[in-house]
Amino acid sequence: MEKSLNIEGEEEEEEKEKLGTFEDPSQSLPDKSNLKGDWLNFFLLILLYTIQGLPLGLAIALPIIFQSKKMVTYKEQAFFSLVAWPYSVKILWAPIIDSLYIQWIGRRKSWLISVQYLMGAFLYYTATNIDEWLPESEIPNFKKLVFTFGVISFLAATQDIVVDGWALTMLKKNNVGHASTCNGTGVALGVLIGTICPVLLTSADFCNKYLRTTDSREGIITIKGFLYFWSITIILITTLIGIFKREKDNRLEEGHVKINVLQSYQLLWKIFKLPNVRVLAIALLTMKIGFSATDSVSNLKLIDAGISKDDIMIITISMYIVKMIVPLIVSKYTSSTKPMSAYMKLMPIRLLWSIPYVVLIYYTPILIKSNGVLNVPTYYYLILVFICIVHEILAFTMYLFTLGFFSRICDKRFGGTYMTMLSTIASFGWVLSNTLALRMIDVLSFSKCSNNDSNNCSTIQLKNVRNKIGIKIIRG
């Protein structure tokens, strides 16, 4: 499979006839990278990617907040996981973003301004209602939360399409390679902000333990205040970009070809019909199934067992250090001629490493409690962190191998469409696997009320009582 998936022969002639002639880009190597004169663009891209990462961080943080309330089922968690789906299906509207725009504003800028204003407005609307939708001691209003955060995720996914395209023209030709640095740094920073603030800085326990000298019943910030701040900040940033940032005329770009929306979708369909692409799509949709339980359920089960959400978040955040180091170590392998072969070699290792992870989670309630009292020993944290580090190294290395494979097989003439399509399919496979894993937890779990061993909550009446008064459930 690791050969170029170019459109050749009759396919290529038919493509040219329908969509016009696409010239091959120049094969000459660009000058050595030098950010002199590009630093402002570099930091602007990091800022834009940070804005994109915020909804991703919130999508990670909110399930942890839900689980800490002890009144949320895994079925409801699976329902909320739908907010991540726009990132997986953005290919459906990507051709529209590329084809329709207001020329005098700019091909990318016209979309960026609209999308970020809407994102700021929806964050403001969410902040106004978040206390009602996410009450302190009642079941959250999942329908409204999924709708609003789903819209915000849709806008962030659209912004991703826009910024990815703008990065290629905003930076000088010899600095385009830094676009991936901006992407990785900005999104990671946005995710960190979107997770740390809603989970840790709103936690009275965490703030009292690490950030205060005098205890208080509340955290340093509230989720409502956090959403208000970023809604206003995004609107201000967008306004400044609209006034001061000029976009290069896309008609002056090298090899520029203007195609309409229909032609963009035709091109996408032509690529997808390639036999090797269809085989690859099946692989991308299914290759995450074996890891879905450890990826999506492990933290929630640890919280169920008694590990605090603050400790979980600290461990999760520390894993970002691993993500910064791993690319430096494996870069020579990800740029090799056979990155997918390396991926396949790591797959059984990662599957086997899931076993100690599962075993640790299974025995966590026994290891962290002494005579029924929660007392997490230091050795438990050491084991958990070690397992998480190895798991993160394997997972992120495989992710980098996948990106390296995509870059290698893509037809350079249609690289943007190829990359968006393949990354979307891969993302959809990840989201689908995680949603199914979360949905199956309740189906495969047995429950009993902790204050009555003979009551297994098997009747509708008992389940209603449990949901109403919040009786703690022990899941096997």
Side-chain angles (χ1 to χ4, degrees):
M1 185 182 292
E2 296 191 21
K3 61 182 181 179
S4 178
L5 300 179
N6 293 336
I7 299 176
E8 298 177 346
E10 294 181 1
E11 290 281 349
E12 182 175 352
E13 293 302 322
E14 186 179 353
E15 190 72 37
K16 288 183 178 180
E17 181 180 348
K18 286 189 175 184
L19 304 179
T21 301
F22 291 81
E23 299 293 339
D24 284 326
S26 174
Q27 299 300 316
S28 60
L29 294 175
D31 296 333
K32 185 177 180 180
S33 173
N34 183 359
L35 283 172
K36 184 178 180 180
D38 246 353
W39 280 110
L40 288 178
N41 292 329
F42 180 82
F43 288 115
L44 175 59
L45 286 172
I46 290 178
L47 179 61
L48 293 176
Y49 280 117
T50 300
I51 292 173
Q52 180 192 138
L54 282 170
L56 288 170
L58 289 169
I60 295 171
L62 286 173
I64 295 175
I65 295 173
F66 296 154
Q67 202 69 16
S68 66
K69 293 181 179 297
K70 304 295 184 182
M71 291 185 293
V72 176
T73 66
Y74 284 100
K75 180 180 179 180
E76 291 165 333
Q77 290 279 21
F79 180 49
F80 185 79
S81 71
L82 294 176
V83 303
W85 279 54
Y87 294 97
S88 302
V89 295
K90 61 185 178 182
I91 190 63
L92 297 179
W93 62 90
I96 298 176
I97 305 299
D98 279 338
S99 304
L100 299 179
Y101 50 89
I102 302 173
Q103 185 66 56
W104 66 271
I105 297 178
R107 183 182 185 185
R108 308 300 179 184
K109 188 177 171 182
S110 55
W111 279 102
L112 182 79
I113 293 174
S114 304
V115 167
Q116 290 195 170
Y117 271 141
L118 286 172
M119 191 186 301
F122 265 89
L123 283 172
Y124 192 91
Y125 172 71
T126 305
T128 304
N129 296 279
I130 193 65
D131 289 340
E132 177 185 347
W133 298 343
L134 189 60
E136 187 64 32
S137 57
E138 297 179 16
I139 298 175
N141 189 329
F142 276 95
K143 290 184 179 179
K144 292 184 178 179
L145 287 170
V146 169
F147 172 75
T148 53
F149 282 100
V151 172
I152 292 171
S153 294
F154 168 79
L155 294 171
T158 304
Q159 193 249 30
D160 179 29
I161 300 170
V162 175
V163 178
D164 282 348
W166 199 1
L168 300 178
T169 57
M170 185 185 296
L171 296 171
K172 296 176 182 178
K173 184 177 180 180
N174 60 316
N175 292 326
V176 167
H178 289 287
S180 59
T181 303
C182 298
N183 188 321
T185 304
V187 171
L189 180 59
V191 170
L192 281 175
I193 295 172
T195 51
I196 290 176
C197 295
V199 177
L200 296 184
L201 298 187
T202 61
S203 168
D205 292 338
F206 177 83
C207 294
N208 292 338
K209 185 176 181 180
Y210 297 105
L211 304 177
R212 287 194 180 112
T213 56
T214 304
D215 289 353
S216 173
R217 294 183 179 180
E218 298 179 349
I220 292 178
I221 66 171
T222 63
I223 297 178
K224 183 175 185 177
F226 173 78
L227 294 175
Y228 270 135
F229 172 81
W230 277 104
S231 65
I232 296 172
T233 300
I234 290 173
I235 291 173
L236 289 176
I237 291 172
T238 305
T239 302
L240 293 174
I241 291 174
I243 296 173
F244 296 107
K245 180 60 182 174
R246 291 187 177 182
E247 182 180 356
K248 298 175 184 177
D249 191 337
N250 65 295
R251 293 171 294 186
L252 302 178
E253 296 173 8
E254 181 180 357
H256 169 71
V257 177
K258 173 67 175 178
I259 59 176
N260 59 37
V261 175
L262 179 59
Q263 290 172 329
S264 295
Y265 280 106
Q266 287 176 335
L267 174 60
L268 179 63
W269 180 242
K270 285 287 183 182
I271 295 173
F272 187 75
K273 287 199 304 181
L274 293 173
N276 284 342
V277 171
R278 285 181 288 181
V279 173
L280 177 60
I282 295 173
L284 293 175
L285 288 172
T286 56
M287 66 186 187
K288 298 292 181 67
I289 292 176
F291 319 122
S292 58
T294 51
D295 287 347
S296 61
V297 181
S298 54
N299 283 346
L300 304 181
K301 297 298 288 185
L302 289 172
I303 293 173
D304 267 355
I307 303 298
S308 73
K309 63 181 177 64
D310 297 344
D311 292 338
I312 293 295
M313 284 307 304
I314 292 173
I315 294 173
T316 301
I317 292 167
S318 65
M319 291 302 106
Y320 280 89
I321 300 175
V322 176
K323 289 185 177 181
M324 289 187 288
I325 297 174
V326 168
L328 301 176
I329 299 175
V330 303
S331 58
K332 66 178 181 179
Y333 301 105
T334 56
S335 58
S336 67
T337 57
K338 294 185 177 182
M340 191 52 73
S341 296
Y343 181 99
M344 296 302 295
K345 291 178 181 178
L346 283 181
M347 179 172 282
I349 299 175
R350 187 178 172 191
L351 287 171
L352 288 173
W353 191 252
S354 298
I355 296 175
Y357 206 170
V358 171
V359 171
L360 178 67
I361 292 172
Y362 182 81
Y363 285 104
T364 291
I366 299 174
L367 296 174
I368 66 175
K369 292 181 180 179
S370 177
N371 297 323
V373 179
L374 182 65
N375 183 22
V376 186
T378 302
Y379 74 83
Y380 175 84
Y381 282 117
L382 294 176
I383 296 173
L384 177 61
V385 170
F386 174 71
I387 290 177
C388 287
I389 288 175
V390 176
H391 175 267
E392 196 65 41
I393 290 174
L394 292 172
F396 200 61
T397 301
M398 293 174 73
Y399 169 73
L400 293 173
F401 284 150
T402 304
L403 291 183
F405 180 64
F406 291 169
S407 299
R408 183 177 179 275
I409 65 175
C410 284
D411 190 321
K412 294 181 180 179
R413 295 168 299 166
F414 317 117
T417 303
Y418 257 119
M419 286 294 290
T420 302
M421 183 188 69
L422 294 176
S423 63
T424 298
I425 295 173
S427 178
F428 184 78
W430 178 81
V431 172
L432 180 62
S433 299
N434 285 3
T435 299
L436 291 175
L438 286 167
R439 184 65 182 87
M440 291 301 294
I441 290 297
D442 278 338
V443 177
L444 299 176
S445 296
F446 300 94
S447 302
K448 65 179 180 180
C449 294
S450 59
N451 60 345
N452 186 348
D453 290 338
S454 64
N455 180 4
N456 61 7
C457 297
S458 58
T459 66
I460 295 177
Q461 291 80 5
L462 289 173
K463 288 181 179 179
N464 289 337
V465 170
R466 181 260 295 180
N467 289 333
K468 183 176 181 180
I469 66 176
I471 295 176
K472 182 180 178 182
I473 297 298
I474 300 176
R475 288 185 172 85

